[in-house]
Amino acid sequence: MARTDIGPPHYQEMLPPVIKENYGKWQYHEILRPGVLKHVSENGVVVFTVRAASPRLVSVDFIRDVADLADKFCGGFLRFTSRHNVEFLLTDEHQVEPLITALAAKGLPVGGTGNSVSNMIHTQGWVHCHTPATDASGIVKAVMDELYEHFVEMKLPAKLRLALACCINMCGAVHCSDIAICGIHRVPPTIDHELFAKVSETPSVVAACPTYAIKPNPKTKSITINEEKCMYCGNCYTMSPAVNIMNPANDGVAIFVGGKVSNSRKPPMFSKLAIPYLPNNPPRWPEVTEAVKNIVHVWATNARPGERVGEWIERVGWERFFKLTGIPFTDKHIDDFTLAPTTFRSTTNFKY
Amino acid sequence: MTDRKTPLLDELEKGPWPSFVTEIKRAGKKSAKAEDLLGQLEKSFEDKTGYWKHGGIVGVRGYGGGVIGRYSQKGEEFPNVAEFHTVRVNQPAGWFYTSDTLRKICDIWEKHGSGLTNLHGSTGDLILLGTDTSKLQPCFDDLSDAGFDLGGSGGGLRTPSCCVGPARCEYACIDTLDVTHEITMAFQDYIHRPMWPYKFKIKVSGCGNDCVAAIARADFTIIGTWRDAIRIDDAAVKAYVDSGMDISKMVVQKCPTSALEWDATNGKLTLCAEDCVRCMHCINVMPKALRPGVEKGASILVGGKAPVVQGAMLSWVIVPFMKLEPPYEDLKDLITRITEWWDEHGKSRERLGELIYRKGMRYFLRDMGLEPTPQMVMAPRTNPYWFWWPEEVNKG
């Protein structure tokens, strides 16, 4: 019988000696090249970080591979970043290049620092989620193949943070990313009334609807959905397996832009709708990769040094964003949820 | 290993970015579960839809969370993924590992599961993807023997996570790893036995750069900050300028509150500390020359969440500055009071931010014993629709 409530291993047991000795004493850092950081402590001690990409969905043999590299180059220690990258911490600068070579031999590029695109935060998609409107790992692989140069180089105006959520639950900070890909449904769910009566908790399903589109139906011991009010969020589906929101002919992705979580310069910003629908087109989702590349290209071409996507759009204006990217502006872009009036333009100041 | 054909997924083995398909295939050489996952995923790619059922109630003895039940809709076609449950393993704070620790996890997961993992899930857990109901308890027993425990799921405290913090970042104003570990240990019961209206997330970032997106994702957001002035090393500033950096354009003009002035004649950068909002921009651009002040602590914010149900929210300030020192009793006490209040008043699937929005900040602040301060709002209200407490008026 397992011991319970022991919690995770204490972090101190996992820290390399150089980190333990200089914990809280770091003074500054510099980026030596894409994917390689140099941190200097108040004691004058230097640690080099090599940041490598990972597909996030990995086999145990992948983990053993990176563990072996940690043994060979870093005294048996390694860490992972909040964006799924693997980081190796070295004390000997001469080991940096051999490590990068060894990583390259495993097909793992080094980058994701400074003014680059880092690894994409993403969800499970068709690999393991029960509510996906699209896949996750597949689109991420297709997009990162296309943006690869921006991971291994640092030539963008600012950092670029991409994320993907396979439905509007938005696991991960998709709602605050420079460019966010979000799986969406486009038609109301169908209800298996017989099954609903057997397996569902009616009040929970009714309460799950953000637009109050669901009413109990005492006759069928099921529910009715006001299809005019339904915006296909799938929340009711999460509450009851008898409500089916999946619809391969209509499901796809939307693209949001201009979000960030950092407080640097401007406060954190939500991502805002750029493209309301692109089709699911596996295995490489060409419409999605083209759309992302276009936005990155237009931003990189037009932004001033240091401007994140959202800061650039705020400066040039959304009207210019849609003009420059060639993305059509539609009625879908105009909010009609709870805080909609705060997004309407209550000024005569605008551009053409 | 079968001779299964996966032409669509094979396309995703091409290209320079490391491929998850290659990883599933690697695991598939040793695991029939991973092999059948590949088959079902190829079918999803063909049909453009997912094939997993709703989660069922599965778990390990003594816990109500930590395992996500997952069953295939295509169990007859892919019998080895008929049951394909996820085990969430609580990561060490800051995601540091020894290679031997990781190898132990690998051995356990090869023995009891598909050999497929996520390093890491969005919340921060080390995710073990795909095992049978019958293997859950033995897997947990082995994980426990190896010094690991499960993370959170369902309506309870989700596994807290943090940035790299003082372990390797000069910006860290608080010990993010220690705070995270201490909170995790103090609230084990709420992680393992979910009993709240919905999920509750705590995330800890060492500075306003917020590398774990605490402000966007956490119901309870801890962000390191300082109260005094940014420390300026004049010689190092000059070195940046001498090396060609346009300090006026890249630093001074980008300061959101115009708190910086650059005297080009004398090569002197001055800060009006009262105007500084500690956004981190100038420090990010000149880390060798500028450092956070020395009176460090954290800002506490609450209410952050993704869209479901009532729309996405960013956390908002409730405690502008709190000293964070072990054993963090003030912090733990605040978390306890807030979660108890939410548990008492919250409706099913109502996150803390939505509850505060529904009831009004004034109730939240009063019940928490927090004094209203201007730091809590972007601006005061513009409408005349406010309430008075009964004791504030003369009911004569």
Side-chain angles (χ1 to χ4, degrees):
Chain A
M1 178 73 184
R3 295 170 298 161
T4 56
D5 303 287
I6 62 171
H10 199 282
Y11 62 91
Q12 282 180 359
E13 297 163 21
M14 302 292 159
L15 301 178
V18 64
I19 295 298
K20 260 190 188 164
E21 286 153 20
N22 296 281
Y23 196 94
K25 294 177 190 159
W26 299 104
Q27 193 176 350
Y28 69 87
H29 78 279
E30 47 191 320
I31 303 174
L32 298 182
R33 51 169 278 192
V36 182
L37 306 170
K38 174 186 174 184
H39 283 82
V40 180
S41 86
E42 289 165 353
N43 302 334
V45 173
V46 178
V47 69
F48 300 92
T49 301
V50 174
R51 182 178 294 171
S54 149
R56 190 182 89 124
L57 172 55
V58 296
S59 66
V60 290
D61 286 332
F62 173 96
I63 301 172
R64 288 174 179 136
D65 282 351
V66 294
D68 289 347
L69 290 174
D71 283 354
K72 188 170 175 194
F73 293 96
C74 316
F77 296 89
L78 70 166
R79 76 173 294 267
F80 295 81
T81 72
S82 57
R83 302 194 78 87
H84 317 309
N85 301 305
V86 193
E87 283 186 345
F88 300 88
L89 305 161
L90 303 95
T91 47
D92 179 1
E93 189 169 10
H94 297 107
Q95 291 294 309
V96 170
E97 281 304 325
L99 172 59
I100 292 172
T101 306
L103 285 163
K106 296 278 177 201
L108 300 179
V110 165
T113 53
N115 293 342
S116 70
V117 60
S118 188
N119 209 339
M120 278 175 78
I121 295 290
H122 65 99
T123 56
Q124 301 288 20
W126 294 334
V127 167
H128 206 251
C129 182
H130 68 292
T131 64
T134 188
D135 188 36
S137 303
I139 305 185
V140 167
K141 162 72 175 151
V143 169
M144 289 309 292
D145 276 342
E146 296 286 344
L147 296 182
Y148 181 80
E149 63 172 310
H150 294 304
F151 179 82
V152 297
E153 293 174 2
M154 301 192 295
K155 293 179 178 169
L156 293 168
K159 61 168 74 168
L160 180 64
R161 295 292 174 257
L162 271 59
L164 180 144
C166 50
C167 81
I168 58 92
N169 267 303
M170 296 196 189
C171 302
V174 166
H175 55 300
C176 294
S177 298
D178 292 292
I179 301 177
I181 302 169
C182 181
I184 56 155
H185 304 287
R186 294 194 299 153
V187 288
T190 53
I191 308 161
D192 180 339
H193 293 290
E194 211 172 299
L195 182 64
F196 190 97
K198 281 186 205 154
V199 301
S200 311
E201 209 177 274
T202 305
S204 312
V205 181
V206 170
C209 181
T211 57
Y212 310 105
I214 303 177
K215 284 203 172 88
N217 184 344
K219 275 185 198 163
T220 56
K221 290 184 179 166
S222 179
I223 52 167
T224 51
I225 296 177
N226 179 342
E227 299 208 344
E228 280 185 13
K229 282 188 177 177
C230 173
M231 44 63 184
Y232 343 107
C233 72
N235 219 358
C236 51
Y237 172 66
T238 300
M239 298 310 289
S240 170
V243 184
N244 180 26
I245 188 83
M246 310 277 260
N247 187 310
N250 286 290
D251 293 346
V253 305
I255 294 184
F256 292 75
V257 299
K260 72 185 191 87
V261 293
S262 163
N263 287 273
S264 186
R265 301 172 303 282
K266 291 184 184 295
M269 300 186 231
F270 285 123
S271 314
K272 298 168 185 82
L273 182 63
I275 302 176
Y277 174 75
L278 292 169
N280 274 329
N281 199 354
R284 284 204 166 264
W285 280 265
E287 296 85 353
V288 177
T289 55
E290 277 312 307
V292 170
K293 271 166 63 182
N294 177 42
I295 294 166
V296 172
H297 173 74
V298 174
W299 164 65
T301 309
N302 290 279
R304 290 177 183 165
E307 274 181 340
R308 297 275 297 260
V309 173
E311 294 171 300
W312 162 65
I313 296 173
E314 276 198 3
R315 178 172 60 79
V316 301
W318 283 97
E319 56 274 42
R320 292 269 293 148
F321 168 81
F322 284 99
K323 196 171 185 175
L324 288 166
T325 55
I327 296 170
F329 187 82
T330 70
D331 58 351
K332 313 290 181 289
H333 291 89
I334 303 177
D335 196 356
D336 42 27
F337 197 50
T338 46
L339 303 173
T342 64
T343 66
F344 300 160
R345 193 180 303 253
S346 303
T347 169
T348 54
N349 299 353
F350 50 80
K351 300 172 185 169
Y352 288 101
Chain B
M1 191 70 186
T2 67
D3 55 357
R4 190 190 316 276
K5 297 277 185 290
T6 54
L8 293 173
L9 290 173
D10 292 351
E11 282 299 312
L12 292 174
E13 288 199 277
K14 301 171 185 168
W17 192 253
S19 169
F20 70 101
V21 174
T22 304
E23 290 302 317
I24 299 176
K25 287 184 177 178
R26 279 180 94 180
K29 285 180 187 162
K30 299 177 181 175
S31 159
K33 294 191 94 62
E35 170 62 24
D36 266 6
L37 177 72
L38 195 71
Q40 179 172 316
L41 190 59
E42 178 76 8
K43 188 171 180 61
S44 280
F45 270 58
E46 285 165 7
D47 301 346
K48 304 181 185 182
T49 193
Y51 284 117
W52 300 104
K53 290 184 195 172
H54 275 65
I57 308 286
V58 288
V60 299
R61 278 195 296 276
Y63 284 9
V67 179
I68 316 299
R70 190 64 78 227
Y71 298 90
S72 174
Q73 292 173 15
K74 300 285 168 193
E76 289 186 8
E77 196 174 343
F78 306 104
N80 295 301
V81 293
E83 295 177 4
F84 202 71
H85 311 316
T86 298
V87 180
R88 288 184 180 163
V89 180
N90 195 330
Q91 81 288 0
W95 298 293
F96 281 90
Y97 295 93
T98 65
S99 52
D100 285 342
T101 304
L102 282 177
R103 287 192 191 94
K104 274 189 210 166
I105 298 268
C106 290
D107 294 346
I108 291 167
W109 192 233
E110 201 161 68
K111 182 175 159 197
H112 296 295
S114 72
L116 284 168
T117 72
N118 288 143
L119 268 76
H120 292 77
S122 297
T123 295
D125 297 283
L126 196 168
I127 305 282
L128 305 179
L129 279 173
T131 192
D132 295 321
T133 309
S134 63
K135 304 265 181 68
L136 289 169
Q137 188 65 41
C139 181
F140 175 51
D141 291 345
D142 283 355
L143 286 167
S144 177
D145 287 345
F148 277 88
D149 203 341
L150 302 190
S153 68
L157 180 60
R158 299 299 179 87
T159 307
S161 72
C162 65
C163 67
V164 71
R168 200 217 44 212
C169 183
E170 69 272 23
Y171 301 158
C173 295
I174 50 174
D175 190 341
T176 55
L177 285 76
D178 201 51
V179 170
T180 300
H181 188 76
E182 286 298 317
I183 290 172
T184 304
M185 297 310 290
F187 296 103
Q188 284 287 297
D189 200 27
Y190 297 109
I191 296 175
H192 293 138
R193 293 161 200 92
M195 53 190 115
W196 287 338
Y198 202 12
K199 63 182 88 172
F200 193 87
K201 300 190 176 187
I202 301 176
K203 297 193 185 294
V204 191
S205 279
C207 78
N209 285 325
D210 196 2
C211 287
V212 288
I215 205 163
R217 303 195 289 161
D219 300 270
F220 192 95
T221 303
I222 303 169
I223 295 181
T225 188
W226 65 95
R227 284 182 76 130
D228 51 346
I230 289 173
R231 288 174 283 170
I232 302 176
D233 178 340
D234 290 327
V237 171
K238 203 167 172 307
Y240 274 108
V241 176
D242 290 346
S243 69
M245 192 183 74
D246 187 340
I247 191 169
S248 293
K249 203 170 169 185
M250 295 310 294
V251 181
V252 175
Q253 287 170 28
K254 285 183 184 284
C255 174
T257 53
S258 305
L260 288 168
E261 269 187 50
W262 171 242
D263 177 349
T265 317
N266 297 305
K268 173 94 178 151
L269 184 71
T270 50
L271 168 81
C272 176
E274 283 180 0
D275 286 341
C276 173
V277 289
R278 304 165 314 281
C279 83
M280 293 299 296
H281 172 75
C282 58
I283 298 175
N284 289 339
V285 177
M286 300 194 293
K288 283 183 179 175
L290 306 179
R291 304 179 74 184
V294 292
E295 196 189 341
K296 293 171 178 174
S299 295
I300 309 294
L301 304 85
V302 297
K305 59 183 284 294
V308 171
V309 177
Q310 292 295 340
M313 296 180 185
L314 290 163
S315 281
W316 55 81
V317 174
I318 59 158
V319 180
F321 187 83
M322 181 188 266
K323 277 270 176 205
L324 281 192
E325 280 156 8
Y328 313 109
E329 287 306 329
D330 289 352
L331 182 70
K332 289 175 191 168
D333 178 60
L334 185 61
I335 293 169
T336 303
R337 282 186 289 140
I338 287 175
T339 51
E340 279 178 358
W341 183 82
W342 169 59
D343 190 25
E344 187 176 326
H345 299 286
K347 294 195 261 189
S348 170
R349 284 167 73 73
E350 187 173 48
R351 296 278 287 269
L352 175 64
E354 290 162 324
L355 172 63
I356 297 174
Y357 186 60
R358 175 164 66 83
K359 284 189 78 80
M361 267 282 268
R362 68 185 193 127
Y363 280 101
F364 173 76
L365 294 178
R366 183 193 63 180
D367 293 354
M368 292 305 112
L370 294 169
E371 286 296 320
T373 70
Q375 287 83 5
M376 293 174 179
V377 295
M378 302 298 272
R381 76 167 73 219
T382 57
N383 61 66
Y385 301 157
W386 65 85
F387 297 91
W388 296 97
W389 300 110
E391 64 273 19
E392 289 177 319
V393 292
N394 184 347
K395 292 209 160 177

